[in-house]
Amino acid sequence: MRFNIIGYFCKEGFRNTLKNKKSTSASLIVMCFTMLIFGVFFMIGENINNVMEQIESAQGIQVFINTDVSDEEVTQIGIDLKEISGINTITYVSKEDALNQMKEKFKDRQDLLTGLEENNIFPASYVVTLTDLNESSKVQDEIKNVVGDRLKKLTSKDETVSALIRIANGIRIVTGVILAFLIIISVVIISNTIKLTVHARRKEISIMKYVGATNSFIRWPFIIEGIIIGIIAGIASILIVAIIYNIISQKIVASPVISSMNISLLSFGQMFNLIVIVYLLLGVGIGIIGSSISMRKYLEV
Amino acid sequence: MIEFRNVNKTYNTGTEAVKNANFRIEKGEFAFLIGASGSGKSTLIKLILKEEEPSSGSIIINGKDTTFLKQNRVPYLRRSMGVVFQDFRLLPDKTVYENVAFAMYIVKATPKHIRRQVPMVLSLVGLSEKSKMYPNELSGGEQQRVALARALVNNPSMIIADEPTGNLDPDTAWEIMNLLNDINLRGTTVVVATHAKDIVDKMNKRVITIKDGNIIRDEKGGYDSEI
Ligand SMILES: Nc1ncnc2c1ncn2[C@@H]1O[C@H](COP(=O)(O)OP(=O)(O)O)[C@@H](O)[C@H]1O
Ligand SMILES: [Mg+2]
């Protein structure tokens, strides 16, 4: 019995959608536009986050310890560093490791390094990676605190990272503002579309009211109309975004600057689930809100 | 059972459409509501349907005061009444069968119940043969029968009709009135607002006469010549 009613609602919803082809298309275009714009910013944001992670994991904060600090104390510093929140991994680089790295780096000029075996001037260090790049300066302060005057120096990719953080935050704000604006426009357009169907079917609605239909019963076909438009717009947008993204990301990765930086972009597949969820929520949400707004006037019989 | 107690209705425009109405229509009764155009018949019917709220007084339907009925309970009140209008109000893109079944969908009847009930009321109004036709393929009288079938299909305890014969020729009007009488004989309360003087005169039912919003006469018999 319930199945039958749901079938009735869906049938009516589809009928509504097909009846006003012009305004349904207008809603579809506006919703696709909203979703595409949102998709572009969303994917740029996701990629910047991803690049930040790559940079961070390739190059963490390096904490150099003064050479006059004893081995036991260096070990103790390692233990203390583990206590700092926001640190993901800690790798110890001993004086010998540091020397070996140098030897590796200057393979052709071993003469520069002679005598260093006996008198190793390279400091031991800890390479620290972070759980959240936004915490970088806070964690650095903590590290300075913990290591105190035993700290020789501290290096990080701060400038690159903080520039990226600024860009990422900027994009988030811009996305938010644009999205809010586009959502409002979409809601208005879709509610106008549904208003047309509601108006075209006002006679039917009034008959339904006289026969004793509840408001929710009357509302459902129109909500489903909104949902159908939302879902079609969502699916169309996903297809368009996927095609465009694949073309553009290949171009970007192939460009000399990016390939020299050895940065990889996310594949569309990696963002697919999230985008599907976001698009369907957007589509269904806008559809429901738009149709509810358009129904208000007509339910007061 | 319909009872009006000191009911007044003044529209926002200032029109006093119903003034201090007091009457009581018993279960199973057949009552005509007559009066000139603009006298307040439709307003009275809208008050029964709770399509309009009384400005003062109370309206009791089937033992329940509907004055303070919550808006979301109104659909359930309406399920106890079948409504018929002068302009039939059928859905043009649905067949006769679908128009009647529609009223059952709305009250969430089971498909099985719908399949049994719809042919039954269609045969009651004499339209079994035309169930697959569309409203524009039917005569006015037949369309009004469909509307009547739709009003009856959920077994309401009363039928409320606002000038159901207003658009019909006299012979067809008689058919509809006789049908309403048959329905009444089966136990359903029937209230009919009408202009049809000779029908009212001949049917010898209770007649409530309204003039400029006042109920001026309420007795069994014919149309009063004074209105
Ligand atoms: N919705 C309304 N708003 C304002 N005035 C109304 C409204 N409906 C009816 N009226 C007025 O109330 C009076 C009674 O109308 P109505 O009940 O329709 O009479 P009848 O059905 O007997 O012709 C008329 O003067 C009419 O103009
Ligand atoms: Mg009237």
Side-chain angles (χ1 to χ4, degrees), chain A residues 1-2 4-5 8-9 11-12 15 19 201 203-204 206-217 301, chain B residues 49 51 75-76 78-79 81 83 85 89-94 102-103 105-111 150 154:
Chain A
M1 162 197 165
R2 291 218 70 83
N4 202 297
I5 282 167
Y8 170 81
F9 288 150
K11 204 179 95 195
E12 294 294 301
R15 207 179 69 162
K19 210 154 194 174
R201 300 183 68 179
K203 189 176 162 191
E204 197 169 335
S206 96
I207 291 169
M208 287 167 98
K209 300 226 65 157
Y210 283 121
V211 184
T214 56
N215 283 351
S216 67
F217 186 95
V301 174
Chain B
L49 299 174
E51 187 182 331
Y76 302 95
R78 295 207 179 136
R79 290 177 194 186
M81 4 182 135
V83 200
F85 297 98
R89 301 197 190 178
L90 300 176
L91 297 171
D93 53 353
K94 285 185 158 71
F102 181 68
Y105 268 127
I106 282 165
V107 298
K108 298 176 183 160
T110 64
R150 181 181 63 197
N154 289 322

Side-chain angles (χ1 to χ4, degrees), chain B residues 45 82-85 148 159-164 180 190-194:
Chain B
I45 280 178
V83 200
V84 178
F85 297 98
L148 204 49
I159 293 282
I160 313 289
D162 192 356
E163 308 208 24
L180 283 167
V190 175
V191 179
V192 182
T194 187

